[in-house]
Amino acid sequence: MRMASSSSFSSASMAMGDEKPHVLAVDDSLLDRKLIEKLLTNSSCKVTTAENGQKALDLLGLGDGQHALNSIASKVNLIITDYCMPGMTGYELLKKIKESPTMKDIPVVIVSSENVPTRIKKCLDEGAEEFMLKPLQKSDVNRLRCQLTKFSNPHKGMLCMGR
Amino acid sequence: MERNQMRRQLALMRQSFFDQGFLDEQFIQLEELQDDANPNFVEEVVTLYYRDSSRLILNIDQALERNPLDFNKLDNYMHQFKGSSTSIGAKKVKAECTQFREYCKAGNSEGCMRTFQQLKKEYAILKRKLEAFFQQARQAGPLETACRSRN
């Protein structure tokens, strides 16, 4: 399998071939979900959205009593989540993802409308790849897209054997 | 009215929104997302904004009738309102949201109520302007300038 060199970035393909990166975007605001979805789609990403942390976990196969088999878990390259959400915050979602043996290596980006240094530190300490301010702009997504070639989901393309 | 003239008027209208501070850069970000796949993207997003906003305005109006005021709850609503206003670039409305939250933090009931009246005014003005804008845009026909160029 041909591996892309880490020093160059090709916008036309990823390391694993010509597949589009798959991003899971989590936000309780329908408006913001629509925005992030369009931003990502315009950057040649496949997008799945979730309106809260629990739904995101369900999609990832981390819901109660679930198997990873039917989930999108093996295909997700990046998770972008809003910080302020009712119920489960983005931080709490991040923690659950990092606690999961199957999901912990998927990069998680936290977005927030508020620039709170303690909040940022907390998220980065918990393993968030980045903390970004809302609303996200084209340039932010372009940058994330570039970085995606460096993060390869080790489970992508592999069967989840009924964990 | 002749099509080119309509488009010129439309461009002037649009520019006035920025010059007069009703909209900021974020609105342009929305316009840049619009393309052939989603030719009405901006209007769709703005429509979602109206929907969100009318719900929040109702909730806040009701919450402001309580005695004493639940500043936590009010701030929560306003956080959402500010968020969606920011997402579409509604500059003046966003400023009122910020002001309102300041009054919440200070526990200033009168300030909250006064600011909310002002916020509703700004919101109504913006809504009117945007509705007129999209209506005129429809009449002028597909506009290349505000969308992603095909070149």
Side-chain angles (χ1 to χ4, degrees), chain B residues 48-64 73-85 97 116 119-120 123:
Chain B
L48 278 179
Y49 175 65
Y50 298 151
R51 217 181 68 173
D52 267 4
S53 310
S54 52
R55 176 181 54 86
L56 286 165
I57 287 172
L58 200 63
N59 288 339
I60 296 170
D61 262 330
Q62 286 174 353
L64 283 172
K73 194 177 211 179
L74 284 167
D75 187 63
N76 219 335
Y77 285 138
M78 200 45 81
H79 170 88
Q80 292 175 55
F81 205 152
K82 185 178 170 188
S84 45
S85 301
C97 292
F116 192 56
L119 189 156
K120 284 195 283 189
Y123 172 77

Side-chain angles (χ1 to χ4, degrees), chain A residues 4-157:
Chain A
S5 97
S6 58
S7 59
S8 69
F9 169 72
S10 161
S11 58
S13 64
M14 285 185 58
M16 306 291 264
D18 282 81
E19 292 172 66
K20 291 181 178 182
H22 190 159
V23 183
L24 172 61
V26 191
D27 198 314
D28 59 308
S29 159
L30 176 56
L31 201 164
D32 287 342
R33 283 200 304 278
K34 188 175 170 84
L35 268 183
I36 186 78
E37 183 173 27
K38 188 65 177 152
L39 271 169
L40 290 167
T41 306
N42 281 14
S43 265
S44 305
C45 293
K46 183 165 148 64
V47 189
T48 302
T49 59
E51 61 185 342
N52 59 49
Q54 190 53 58
K55 298 228 162 115
L57 290 175
D58 292 345
L59 282 167
L60 292 169
L62 297 176
D64 301 321
Q66 274 189 299
H67 286 289
L69 261 170
N70 297 323
S71 72
I72 57 169
S74 60
K75 309 178 197 88
V76 168
N77 303 104
L78 174 68
I79 298 166
I80 298 177
T81 177
D82 190 18
Y83 181 91
C84 282
M85 296 189 292
M88 193 188 302
T89 65
Y91 173 73
E92 287 159 351
L93 175 60
L94 167 69
K95 278 185 78 168
K96 290 209 150 69
I97 291 166
K98 291 303 172 187
E99 282 163 9
S100 154
T102 44
M103 299 285 98
K104 64 179 171 60
D105 293 323
I106 300 181
V108 181
V109 170
I110 310 270
V111 296
S112 175
S113 53
E114 291 166 322
N115 190 345
V116 182
T118 47
R119 180 184 292 184
I120 298 172
K121 183 176 191 310
K122 192 172 76 164
C123 290
L124 294 177
D125 285 348
E126 194 60 41
E129 210 62 44
E130 274 204 58
F131 187 102
M132 301 173 83
L133 286 181
K134 277 171 101 168
L136 286 188
Q137 306 207 318
K138 227 168 30 167
S139 51
D140 297 318
V141 174
N142 286 343
R143 196 161 55 77
L144 281 178
R145 183 73 177 74
C146 283
Q147 289 177 325
L148 273 175
T149 52
K150 295 184 196 151
F151 315 138
S152 51
N153 181 349
H155 299 280
K156 192 178 176 78

